[in-house]
Amino acid sequence: MFNGQMMSGFRVIEHAYIHGLGRWNFDVFGPFCRLYYNPLPGVVFSGKNNPRLELSPNSFYLIPQGKRVRCWNEKPPLTQFYLHFFIFERLPILNQEIIEIPADEELLNWVEKYDDIRNESAAFVTRDLLAMHILSGVLLRLPQEYLYPTQHISPTIAKVCTIISKNPERKINNKELAQLAGYPLSSFIRAFTKEVGETPQVFCRTKRIEMACELMSTTDSSLDEIATQSGFADRFHMSQVFSRVLGCSPARFRQQLGGGLPKRKHIIRNQK
């Protein structure tokens, strides 16, 4: 198992191909993006701007992070390839809700290769590489305007974002961040908020949530341990933040990992 794989601005955290699941009915919502491919009809999504969207076997479907979508299967059993990943750049893709990408012969060939080795315990490296290849192929088939950043972040603010992202568990206040940037406090908060789109402390909270979600997905650590490792005061504090931001408890979120599917070991672990 790899201990972390990143493309520029992206990180794959979990992927699997599931066969024969019966009932599938849950809410998609979380800080990472979800990519789905269903070779059989009968799976339905319902989002804010898509009251009812039946997934076609001829398409991949991408749900950007932070979007709430209802999912269910009307014709069990369920067969599905899924992939979870983070986007770290501020891209127009994140402003979309459900994105449909045609499944051409090349993409389907890579998914078939993945499916062929899904149960081979020694093939985890190949599965990880295939997962990244599938994701790259899907993203490259998006309209290019989805992939060009809408905002320019200065090197100084980008440096602060990197420090926060690499150490989300570290408790650091705005005064310390301003010193790292070499800005007066008020100027730093104003510049950071304008360039990043949220205040420094909200950005810190976002990164703690991302880290907690990733640890839930990639480890068997207890919620108490995850809360500490992610920079929350304790499990209760983490639960408060999750309920306020994600609309569900950490325990409920963990149950829904894998897109509502049984948890698998086909995971690309984060490297710190």
Side-chain angles (χ1 to χ4, degrees):
M1 192 69 66
F2 283 156
N3 188 34
Q5 286 297 326
M6 283 193 67
M7 295 180 288
S8 177
F10 302 87
R11 184 192 297 136
V12 177
I13 59 171
E14 185 179 11
H15 51 84
Y17 205 131
I18 305 298
H19 285 257
L21 184 72
R23 180 174 174 78
W24 191 60
N25 192 332
F26 78 111
D27 284 319
V28 166
F29 188 64
F32 49 75
C33 300
R34 300 173 188 248
L35 178 67
Y36 295 103
Y37 170 69
N38 293 76
L40 302 175
V43 176
V44 179
F45 283 176
S46 177
K48 182 178 179 181
N49 299 317
N50 305 85
R52 178 185 171 87
L53 175 63
E54 184 166 351
L55 274 62
S56 166
N58 300 315
S59 295
F60 286 80
Y61 295 86
L62 194 158
I63 303 175
Q65 56 209 44
K67 305 299 179 182
R68 188 182 297 276
V69 178
R70 186 73 179 169
C71 311
W72 67 94
N73 61 323
E74 295 183 332
K75 300 176 182 178
L78 177 76
T79 299
Q80 181 182 87
F81 170 80
Y82 75 86
L83 186 152
H84 297 167
F85 65 101
F86 284 119
I87 298 179
F88 296 103
E89 306 292 339
R90 297 187 62 82
L91 301 175
I93 184 177
L94 298 176
N95 299 328
Q96 310 302 312
E97 186 178 3
I98 300 175
I99 303 171
E100 184 174 353
I101 303 98
D104 58 36
E105 184 177 353
E106 183 181 20
L107 284 174
L108 293 180
N109 181 51
W110 290 111
V111 173
E112 184 178 351
K113 288 179 182 292
Y114 183 106
D115 191 27
D116 287 342
I117 60 171
R118 72 181 187 279
N119 292 323
E120 295 181 20
S121 59
F124 62 89
V125 172
T126 305
R127 281 194 299 272
D128 284 348
L129 292 171
L130 285 169
M132 288 188 290
H133 194 87
I134 293 165
L135 177 59
S136 297
V138 168
L139 295 177
L140 286 170
R141 285 162 172 78
L142 290 172
Q144 282 302 297
E145 58 266 24
Y146 282 18
L147 301 176
Y148 285 98
T150 55
Q151 289 179 257
H152 172 71
I153 298 182
S154 66
T156 302
I157 298 299
K159 174 186 173 183
V160 173
C161 289
T162 298
I163 291 172
I164 296 171
S165 297
K166 286 185 175 181
N167 306 278
E169 74 286 354
R170 178 182 172 188
K171 295 177 176 61
I172 184 167
N173 59 39
N174 287 338
K175 183 177 180 180
E176 293 174 286
L177 292 172
Q179 290 174 344
L180 288 171
Y183 281 33
L185 178 58
S186 59
S187 298
F188 166 73
I189 295 174
R190 186 163 54 249
F192 189 100
T193 304
K194 180 180 179 181
E195 294 185 27
V196 178
E198 56 190 14
T199 67
Q201 291 307 310
V202 169
F203 184 81
C204 289
R205 183 191 67 187
T206 299
K207 294 305 170 185
R208 291 189 187 107
I209 293 173
E210 287 180 2
M211 183 175 185
C213 290
E214 186 168 350
L215 288 171
M216 288 181 211
S217 177
T218 61
T219 76
D220 294 322
S221 299
S222 70
L223 293 180
D224 290 295
E225 292 171 326
I226 289 172
T228 300
Q229 293 169 19
S230 304
F232 294 99
D234 50 33
R235 178 177 176 172
F236 179 72
H237 178 219
M238 182 171 72
S239 182
Q240 284 184 316
V241 173
F242 265 63
S243 297
R244 185 169 64 251
V245 177
L246 301 185
C248 67
S249 68
R252 177 61 178 163
F253 180 84
R254 195 170 214 176
Q255 289 173 358
Q256 293 183 352
L257 283 169
L261 305 174
K263 190 174 180 182
R264 298 301 194 210
K265 295 181 180 179
H266 305 168
I267 294 166
I268 296 180
R269 298 187 185 278
N270 181 28
Q271 183 175 18
K272 296 298 182 184

